[in-house]
Amino acid sequence: GAVHTAGPGGALAAYIAIGIMVYFLMTSLAEMAAYMPVSGSFSTYATKFVDPALGFALGWNYWYNWAITIAAELSAVTMIMKFWFPNSPSLLWSALCLAIMFLLNYLSVKGFGEAE
């Protein structure tokens, strides 16, 4: 209902505003990475430049975000495959998708990038 209420102009304005925010966020992250290259992720910068508690919270929230995303993707794969193969077991598609995700992450960065 938000696009219906705001109209296409409101949706475009919101898209532009969020795009500008993401641009500045990524440029500031690039500045920090150029200033202090580390092997960690953005939570390392939060630990160093803001507070160790923020870095800790960001790290665990990021892990939780991906744990939930993987579960949602497994459910989506199962629903899509059940549409095409209605008599197949759901566990088969979940296990197959999980195995593919594991193998892609097990590969080197080059192999993962090629698969993406």
Side-chain angles (χ1 to χ4, degrees):
V3 175
H4 176 35
T5 304
L12 185 61
Y15 186 81
I16 290 170
I18 296 297
I20 290 169
M21 284 186 244
V22 168
Y23 172 76
F24 286 123
L25 176 84
M26 295 308 292
T27 54
S28 65
L29 188 59
E31 287 284 335
M32 287 188 286
Y35 172 68
M36 189 184 83
V38 294
S39 61
S41 66
F42 56 89
S43 63
T44 305
Y45 299 122
T47 299
K48 175 144 177 86
F49 294 116
V50 182
D51 189 70
L54 178 64
F56 177 80
L58 276 175
W60 278 105
N61 281 333
Y62 191 65
W63 177 86
Y64 182 73
N65 175 33
W66 282 109
I68 295 300
T69 300
I70 287 174
E73 286 182 358
L74 291 176
S75 297
V77 164
T78 300
M79 290 173 59
I80 290 169
M81 296 309 282
K82 286 293 246 182
F83 176 78
W84 289 325
F85 306 103
N87 296 327
S88 63
S90 299
L91 184 62
L92 169 74
W93 301 115
S94 294
L96 185 64
C97 182
L98 191 60
I100 290 170
M101 279 192 246
F102 176 77
L103 288 174
L104 286 176
N105 284 297
Y106 186 71
L107 296 173
S108 66
V109 173
K110 181 182 176 189
F112 180 76
E114 290 293 326
E116 281 289 315

